[in-house]
Amino acid sequence: MSCSGSPSEPPEPGQHAPPSESGPRPAPVGDDASARACLTAVADPGDAAMGALLDEHGAAAVWRALRDGEAPQPPPGARPDTVARRSARWRDRAGRIDPDALLAATADFGSRLVVPGDPGWPTQLDQLGRRRPYALWVRGAHDLRHACLRSVAVVGARAATAYGMHVAADLAWGLGRRSWAVVSGGAYGIDSAAHRGSLAAAASAVAVLACGLDLAYPRGNEGLFADIAARGALVSEHPPGTPPSKHGFLVRNRIIAALTPGTVVVEAGLRSGALNTARHGQELHRTVMAVPGPVTSALSAGCHRLLRDGAAVCVTDTDDVVEQVGRIGADLRTDEGGTALDPGSLDDTSRRVLAAVPHRTCAGTASVAETAGLGLDSALSSLGLLAAAGFVERGPSGWRRTAGVRGRG
C-alpha cells in the first residue's frame, strides 16, 4: 500500500498531507527514529498492543508493514483479534503519513524527537513496559533526561483554591532552590502554580502536555509554556497538530508519574485526574505524597482519602518532600521551618507589581501595569506568579493584596 492518501482528503490530527509527485519522498523505513515518529501519529499513546509489537518486531518493521497495508504478525501471548482490529485502523492512518513532512514540522517550531536508546531518553520510562511512549517530542533548552534525574511531580486540581496554589508554588520554589526540577501537566490551577514556583527559583520546569507541542493548551498558559521552554522542557508523546482529548490527559498522567521518583498531590477532589497520576505512581512503586487541606474543602477530599487509605505520605513543606524522595541519610528535613516564598525572594519586577497592587481596594491589570511602569503582558505574568505564591488575589473588580501581605496601598 502506498503511504499517500487521496490529495483531496484532509489529514487527521497529528498527521500530514502527502507530498506531491515532485515533493520530498518519505524517509527510509529502516530508520528507527523516523518509524517511531510515524507511529506516534498512527497509534494511540500507551497502547499495550502496539507496545507488544514493538518489543517483538522493532519500530521499523512495524511501520513498514503498516505503511505497506499489511497487518504485523501478532507477538506470542497477544490476542490476534485485538491486533487485527487495531491494525486495520493503524493501516488506514499510516496511508496518510509523510515521514519527511512530520519531522520537518517538528523542526519548524524548534522541537526535537527523543526515542528509546537516545542519550536524552529518560530510562525510567522503560518501567512502563508495553505502555512506554513510542517516542517523545521535546521542546526546550534543557536535556529531558538530565532534568528528570532529580525531580518531583507536583499535581492537583485545575479549579484550585488560593490555599492550594500558595502551597504548590511554595513547594515548587523550595524544591527549585534545592536543585530539584518540578514536573507537572501545564494545566490551570495547581499545575500552573507549581511551574511558576519552579521558574521563580530559577530551576528547571518540565511540562508534560496532552497535545502537540505546536498547540498551546490551555491558551491562557501560552506565556508560561514559553517560559518553560526557555528554562526547562515541554514534552508530549503526540505529534504536531494533535488536539487535546480527555483520553489524552489521562494517559499522559502515567508519564508524569514515571519521570519522577515521587508525586505530590496538593489539592484533588474525589474524581480528580491528579488521583489518576497518584495511582500510576503506586503501580510504578514511586513515592506518593499528599498535602492535607481543610476538612470542609471538597478540593482536598481526594488528598484526605489517599492519606486515610495509606496510599500517600503526608507532607506539608519542601523538607517533608525531599526527605521522602532524596538520598537516604543525606536529605533529612531540617528544623528551620518558615515559608520559602517571602517578599524578599521576589525579583525586582515582581516587587514593583506587588507594590502597585492595593490592599483594601481592587485594581485592574491595566492600572497595575501603569503604576508599576510595565507592559500589560509583563504585569500579567508577574500577577500570575504573585497569585500562585499567595501574595495577591482576584477581587470582584481586579487585583488586591492578600491579607497580611505588607506594602504600599
Side-chain angles (χ1 to χ4, degrees), residues 259-321:
L259 281 174
T260 68
T263 295
V264 183
V265 183
V266 176
E267 262 188 335
L270 292 176
R271 301 184 64 182
S272 171
L275 298 186
N276 175 257
T277 307
R279 283 192 290 272
H280 284 301
Q282 289 175 292
E283 293 170 359
L284 293 164
H285 305 290
R286 304 294 201 263
T287 301
V288 177
M289 297 156 278
V291 175
V295 296
T296 54
S297 173
L299 281 174
S300 288
C303 295
H304 296 159
R305 173 174 288 181
L306 288 172
L307 296 171
R308 183 196 67 194
D309 295 345
V313 177
C314 179
V315 294
T316 60
D317 58 20
T318 301
D319 285 341
D320 284 348
V321 175

Side-chain angles (χ1 to χ4, degrees), residues 358-398:
H359 180 65
R360 296 181 180 83
T361 60
C362 294
T365 304
S367 175
V368 172
E370 183 178 0
T371 303
L374 297 170
L376 194 60
D377 288 344
S378 296
L380 189 59
S381 177
S382 292
L383 284 167
L385 173 60
L386 292 169
F391 292 118
V392 301
E393 61 187 2
R394 274 197 177 277
S397 58

Side-chain angles (χ1 to χ4, degrees), residues 208-367:
V208 184
L209 306 184
C211 59
L213 296 184
D214 56 333
L215 304 177
Y217 185 88
R219 176 63 67 180
N221 277 352
E222 186 171 9
L224 174 62
F225 295 152
D227 290 341
I228 293 174
R231 302 264 291 278
L234 298 172
V235 185
S236 177
E237 55 187 326
H238 298 278
T242 306
S245 67
K246 182 177 181 180
H247 174 72
F249 285 111
L250 290 175
V251 76
R252 174 274 310 270
N253 291 340
R254 81 193 193 287
I255 297 180
I256 295 176
L259 281 174
T260 68
T263 295
V264 183
V265 183
V266 176
E267 262 188 335
L270 292 176
R271 301 184 64 182
S272 171
L275 298 186
N276 175 257
T277 307
R279 283 192 290 272
H280 284 301
Q282 289 175 292
E283 293 170 359
L284 293 164
H285 305 290
R286 304 294 201 263
T287 301
V288 177
M289 297 156 278
V291 175
V295 296
T296 54
S297 173
L299 281 174
S300 288
C303 295
H304 296 159
R305 173 174 288 181
L306 288 172
L307 296 171
R308 183 196 67 194
D309 295 345
V313 177
C314 179
V315 294
T316 60
D317 58 20
T318 301
D319 285 341
D320 284 348
V321 175
V322 173
E323 189 173 45
Q324 292 298 318
V325 298
R327 296 167 296 169
I328 296 176
D331 287 306
L332 297 177
R333 66 167 292 115
T334 65
D335 295 324
E336 295 176 1
T339 300
L341 276 173
D342 57 71
S345 70
L346 299 174
D347 58 30
D348 180 64
T349 298
S350 295
R351 285 196 294 270
R352 287 164 58 190
V353 171
L354 179 60
V357 177
H359 180 65
R360 296 181 180 83
T361 60
C362 294
T365 304
S367 175

Side-chain angles (χ1 to χ4, degrees), residues 30-198:
D31 180 17
D32 181 78
S34 177
R36 286 182 174 274
C38 294
L39 291 175
T40 65
V42 164
D44 293 334
D47 191 319
M50 175 58 77
L53 288 172
L54 293 176
D55 288 346
E56 180 69 16
H57 304 297
V62 172
W63 167 244
R64 182 186 303 112
L66 295 174
R67 197 187 71 167
D68 293 344
E70 301 171 0
Q73 184 67 30
R79 296 185 57 177
D81 56 334
T82 299
V83 175
R85 184 171 60 253
R86 295 184 183 179
S87 291
R89 182 170 68 249
W90 296 337
R91 291 196 306 271
D92 180 64
R93 293 175 178 175
R96 300 182 179 90
I97 301 296
D98 170 24
D100 280 350
L102 186 60
L103 294 174
T106 303
D108 286 345
F109 59 88
S111 69
R112 58 193 182 275
L113 187 75
V114 180
V115 302
D118 282 353
W121 178 262
T123 54
Q124 58 268 40
L125 292 178
D126 298 342
Q127 296 176 34
L128 290 168
R130 291 180 172 179
R131 296 183 299 136
R132 179 181 71 173
Y134 320 131
L136 290 175
W137 308 83
V138 181
R139 179 163 66 93
H142 215 298
D143 176 86
L144 179 62
R145 180 177 181 276
H146 179 76
C148 294
L149 287 176
R150 185 176 166 91
S151 63
V152 177
V154 179
V155 298
R158 288 177 173 82
T161 66
Y163 161 80
M165 293 180 71
H166 175 91
V167 171
D170 192 50
L171 285 175
W173 190 92
L175 288 165
R177 295 286 286 182
R178 295 177 67 162
S179 301
W180 287 82
V182 169
V183 179
S184 196
Y188 290 137
I190 298 302
D191 288 12
S192 294
H195 288 312
R196 290 192 172 99
S198 182

